[in-house]
């Protein structure tokens, strides 16, 4: 199916076979008894094109959002087993050597005359875990941030019954983008004002686009206001959204205008300083929901702690993670809020009294997403099953043609 990979796979198989031919003397000396006489079956390997083929429909976005919502409930019920997150390339670890820091400028491009290193944002995250009683356990590796040229990543799917690697999804990180957008949609489903006037977007990267794509299934609003640190990228996103059927996008020169004019705000940057609420906090009592996506590792922050302190409801994907990473970590460490004040998204889903009501509910609500490994398990299994179904249908068609 993948001729460009067949040579590499053959080489892997040959090297594996060679390791099985240990001399008898070695077996005796070390005292081991090798009981496996059959060669290892190579895992299914799927490319980015394969993943995109089965995930690009609206029906998949809706199906994934529903599955992620149920996954949050099960996570809060203790049914998911998550391993500690590994984050490389970001504080407190050393920076990657992906580019000469003396060539970084403040807009994310290279410039040999500029020595500003504040724009570095590269990191690689490894998240893993499994549902109790499920079929698979998953290891996800995702990389992104300047000076990496683009986001990348893969998902490893292992059988809980055998421990063997069943499949590799070489997805370049889009599964992470989709499952993150699905989490934002779940939060907005229960917390966004029913009659949202405008959606505010903080950031201009790929996740900003995915958030809007998934948000439209739960929020009836197609008016968008965008703020970005790079004016060129901000205008590019505006023009792109304006080409979507029925959408209207504008840009603003001040992030804080989003607080004044929008009912829903989504933050998607990799900032390590306050961008939203830095200069002024709205004094009018208007319904507002903020979804914070960008702060997925220790030290990152996008919104003012004043906003967090003033919020009537704080929601996080994981109460445990929110103490060490994400928007609430600084506020908790500064005793502005307590971790006990934070509700997990899975708890929110089942507690109807916390949902935003249709009328006279002018609360400021904030959802902080740092990403939980169960989301990777959900999207990996969905994609894998759809690819297997596709292969089965192709085999059936081929058999019918042969008959």
């Amino acid at each position: 199916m993948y001729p460009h990979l067949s040579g590499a796979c053959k080489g892997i198989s040959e090297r594996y076979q060679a390791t099985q031919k240990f001399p008898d003397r070695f077996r005796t000396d070390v005292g081991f008894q090798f009981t496996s006489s059959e060669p290892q079956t190579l895992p299914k390997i799927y490319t980015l094109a394969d993943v995109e083929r089965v995930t690009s429909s609206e029906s998949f976005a809706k199906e994934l959002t529903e599955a992620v919502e149920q996954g949050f409930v099960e996570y809060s019920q203790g049914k998911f087993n998550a391993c500690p997150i590994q984050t490389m390339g970001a504080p407190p670890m050393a920076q990657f050597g992906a580019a000469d820091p003396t060539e970084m400028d403040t807009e994310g491009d290279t410039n040999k005359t500029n020595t500003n290193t504040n724009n570095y944002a590269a990191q690689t995250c490894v998240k893993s875990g499994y549902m109790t009683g499920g079929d698979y356990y998953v290891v996800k590796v995702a990389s992104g941030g300047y000076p990496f040229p683009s986001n990348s990543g893969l998902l490893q799917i292992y059988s809980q019954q055998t421990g063997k690697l069943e499949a590799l999804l070489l997805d370049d990180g889009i599964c992470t983008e989709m499952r993150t957008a699905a989490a934002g949609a779940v939060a907005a489903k229960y917390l966004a004002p029913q009659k949202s006037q405008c959606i505010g977007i903080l950031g201009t990267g790929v996740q900003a686009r995915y958030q809007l794509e998934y948000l439209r299934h739960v929020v009836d609003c197609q008016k968008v206001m965008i703020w970005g640190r790079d004016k060129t990228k901000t205008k590019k996103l505006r023009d792109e959204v304006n080409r979507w059927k029925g959408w209207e996008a504008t840009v603003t020169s001040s992030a804080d205008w989003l607080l004044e004019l929008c009912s829903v705000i989504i933050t998607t940057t990799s900032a390590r300083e306050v961008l939203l609420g830095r200069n002024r906090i709205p004094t009018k009592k208007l319904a507002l929901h903020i979804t914070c996506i960008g702060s997925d590792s220790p030290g990152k922050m996008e919104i003012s702690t004043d906003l967090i302190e003033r919020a009537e409801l704080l929601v996080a994907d994981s109460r445990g993670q929110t103490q060490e990473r994400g928007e609430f970590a600084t506020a908790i460490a500064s005793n502005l809020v307590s971790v006990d004040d934070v509700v997990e998204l899975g708890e929110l889903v089942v507690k109807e009294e916390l949902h935003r009501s249709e009328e006279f509910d002018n609360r400021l609500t904030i959802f902080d997403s740092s990403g939980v490994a169960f989301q990777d398990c959900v999207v990996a299994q969905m994609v894998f099953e759809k690819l297997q179904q596709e292969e089965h249908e192709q085999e059936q068609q081929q058999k019918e043609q042969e008959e």
Side-chain angles (χ1 to χ4, degrees), residues 128-148:
S128 56
Y130 58 96
M131 287 288 186
T132 301
D135 295 326
Y136 306 105
Y137 62 93
V138 173
V139 179
K140 190 276 294 286
V141 182
S143 301
Y146 183 79
F148 288 157

Side-chain angles (χ1 to χ4, degrees), residues 225 252-262 265 276 280:
M225 180 173 289
T252 177
S253 59
S254 171
D256 287 343
W257 276 115
L258 303 180
L259 293 168
E260 298 281 357
L261 302 173
C262 299
I265 300 174
L276 186 68
R280 63 173 178 266

Side-chain angles (χ1 to χ4, degrees), residues 166-185:
E166 296 287 334
L168 281 173
L169 304 182
L170 307 179
D171 71 317
D172 268 0
I174 69 164
C175 285
T176 297
E177 303 291 354
M178 291 186 291
R179 60 80 149 157
T180 303

Side-chain angles (χ1 to χ4, degrees), residues 8 26 33 46 56 165 168 172 216 252 262 287 306 311 336-337 378:
F26 175 81
Q33 293 294 321
Y46 300 100
S56 59
L165 179 62
L168 281 173
D172 268 0
R216 68 191 182 94
T252 177
C262 299
D306 291 337
L336 298 176
V337 298
V378 168

Side-chain angles (χ1 to χ4, degrees), residues 27-48:
R27 296 172 184 267
T28 303
D29 290 347
V30 299
F32 288 161
Q33 293 294 321
F34 293 90
T35 58
S36 177
S37 59
E38 297 183 2
Q40 179 177 340
T41 302
L42 290 173
K44 295 276 190 178
I45 300 175
Y46 300 100
T47 66
L48 173 60

